[in-house]
Amino acid sequence: MAESDSSAGTVNIPALRTWMHEARPDGLAGPLTARLIAGGRSNPTYEVSDGTHHWILRRPPYGEVLKSAHDMSREARVMGALAGSAVPVPHVVGLCRDPAVLGAEFYVMDKLVGRTLRTAEDTRSLTPDQRGRLTDTMIRTLVALHEIDPADVGLEDWGRPQGYLERQLNRWERQWHAIKTSERPRVDEVIGMLRRSMPETTLPGIVHGDYKIDNLLVAHEDPTQILGVLDWEMSTLGDTLADLGMLISFWDEVGTFHNPITAGATALEGFPTANEVVRKYADLRNISIHSLDWYIIFADLKLAVILEQIHARHLAGTTVGDWYDDIGGMVAPILDRAHDRAFRSGL
């Protein structure tokens, strides 16, 4: 059987095979194949196999990538650091920093055998009891992450919590103006309201950066069990409430606007309300949470910029896969929600 690449022009199989031989002292069982898999809209993601073993390869997008974005080394390092902790993560096989191998840095991790719950169709397969217990596991896992002392896992230099929110807001503002495909005045309006009402960081810790239901891999036989937390590229030391705001941004409820990414995935019987999720998180951490709206609005803004980045790459013809046609239409609705919430909150 000859080595192959089912996504021609995207993975240099001979170069990858050479690198894999170096990364895995036990060698490879047979010819390599690489298959583009759905889900990695921001970062192309491939399943790699030698016929016996299966891995996941993650790399930055093709085409122009903004500085500091899509840092594969961050994903690889934080998952390596969290291995064996209360936060389940895949085993990282290795990180390749040499762009000469595949055209950009990339990393390879073991493939976990589980399922991802991306849509309402996926979560509809769970019973109401399973939905409730999965939510409890999700919240407990997030709390476990936020209560890890970074120094205990070698991440004391992972970032600077003080000033995190200001740096983040400045970063996403710069990225919007660097990649926008059309003028959207609401972006600057929302940024202005967020800047004038920025809270002080009082709960520093390890931040995932994109914690939501479809970035979790759950067990086939027990979908309330989380096998791995995925997509760590935006992880850093920062304000842990930013993760809670992101989770709530994606927490769809019956009768409300649904985040265009999750599209109603949690708007089903058994899933608690967003307010109940926040209360459970606060109770587990024994903290009081006031004015979470700032963090939710910031999460919506951040998502709008990410969607615009992907849309811009799609227009430039540098995306791979066939699931990008709807991306551009997601930007305005999420911006509108952020704008409306900001006004209702009096930011």
Side-chain angles (χ1 to χ4, degrees):
M1 175 180 169
E3 294 183 328
S4 67
D5 177 358
S6 59
S7 298
T10 58
V11 174
N12 182 330
I13 291 293
L16 176 61
R17 181 177 181 84
T18 298
W19 181 85
M20 288 286 288
H21 266 298
E22 296 174 355
R24 298 189 76 255
D26 293 339
L28 300 173
L32 279 184
T33 59
R35 177 179 65 90
L36 181 70
I37 59 177
R41 292 194 184 195
S42 181
N43 296 300
T45 303
Y46 300 85
E47 180 178 349
V48 176
S49 176
D50 64 358
T52 300
H53 309 95
H54 298 267
W55 305 278
I56 299 297
L57 183 153
R58 295 257 292 170
R59 56 150 295 153
Y62 297 92
E64 184 177 355
V65 176
L66 296 175
K67 184 179 179 181
S68 80
H70 309 282
D71 189 344
M72 296 297 97
S73 64
R74 295 195 73 79
E75 286 199 358
R77 181 181 169 190
V78 73
M79 287 193 294
L82 292 174
S85 75
V87 181
V89 291
H91 168 70
V92 177
V93 175
L95 166 70
C96 178
R97 295 181 179 273
D98 183 0
V101 178
L102 294 185
E105 74 172 14
F106 65 91
Y107 74 92
V108 172
M109 59 185 169
D110 287 346
K111 180 185 177 182
L112 299 176
V113 180
R115 60 185 294 206
T116 303
L117 303 171
R118 301 190 187 282
T119 66
E121 182 179 357
D122 295 328
T123 53
R124 199 170 287 119
S125 67
L126 277 60
T127 66
D129 177 67
Q130 287 174 327
R131 295 172 196 144
R133 289 191 289 125
L134 172 59
T135 302
D136 185 74
T137 307
M138 288 177 62
I139 299 169
R140 290 182 182 278
T141 300
L142 186 60
V143 169
L145 172 66
H146 291 165
E147 293 194 340
I148 291 175
D149 184 335
D152 288 346
V153 292
L155 294 177
E156 61 271 18
D157 61 345
W158 195 231
R160 295 172 291 144
Q162 292 308 312
Y164 166 80
L165 295 179
E166 182 178 7
R167 291 194 304 274
Q168 281 284 296
L169 191 56
N170 290 340
R171 171 188 176 182
W172 293 105
E173 180 181 27
R174 287 194 306 271
Q175 294 204 8
W176 172 264
H177 288 292
I179 53 83
K180 62 183 178 182
T181 63
S182 62
E183 295 297 330
R184 298 185 189 271
R186 286 198 161 182
V187 173
D188 291 325
E189 292 175 15
V190 171
I191 289 172
M193 287 186 279
L194 289 172
R195 183 164 280 120
R196 290 190 296 270
S197 57
M198 188 175 297
E200 180 182 353
T201 295
T202 58
L203 294 165
I206 302 172
V207 174
H208 177 277
D210 196 18
Y211 193 83
K212 60 185 191 294
I213 191 169
D214 67 338
N215 274 336
L216 307 174
L217 196 72
V218 301
H220 284 290
E221 63 280 5
D222 179 6
T224 71
Q225 178 189 359
I226 298 174
L227 300 179
V229 180
L230 310 175
D231 202 355
W232 291 85
E233 69 165 300
M234 290 184 281
S235 175
T236 188
L237 298 188
D239 188 326
T240 54
L241 289 184
D243 272 345
L244 183 59
M246 180 63 74
L247 178 61
I248 299 305
S249 167
F250 284 99
W251 202 262
D252 303 324
E253 297 183 74
V254 176
T256 65
F257 169 85
H258 293 165
N259 190 299
I261 297 296
T262 41
T266 57
L268 295 170
E269 181 186 358
F271 284 114
T273 66
N275 286 337
E276 289 169 337
V277 170
V278 173
R279 277 200 303 273
K280 176 73 171 181
Y281 175 92
D283 289 346
L284 287 172
R285 292 197 73 181
N286 194 26
I287 59 174
S288 295
I289 297 176
H290 304 285
S291 303
L292 188 66
D293 277 347
W294 192 97
Y295 296 90
I296 302 171
I297 294 162
F298 173 67
D300 279 356
L301 172 71
K302 178 176 165 181
L303 175 59
V305 178
I306 292 171
L307 292 172
E308 184 76 353
Q309 289 175 340
I310 299 171
H311 177 56
R313 289 198 297 271
H314 186 52
L315 293 178
T318 58
T319 52
V320 291
D322 56 0
W323 47 81
Y324 294 92
D325 291 342
D326 59 339
I327 290 289
M330 296 180 180
V331 178
I334 202 72
L335 277 177
D336 289 344
R337 183 174 73 168
H339 192 267
D340 292 347
R341 188 189 291 270
F343 268 104
R344 290 199 310 271
S345 303
L347 263 59

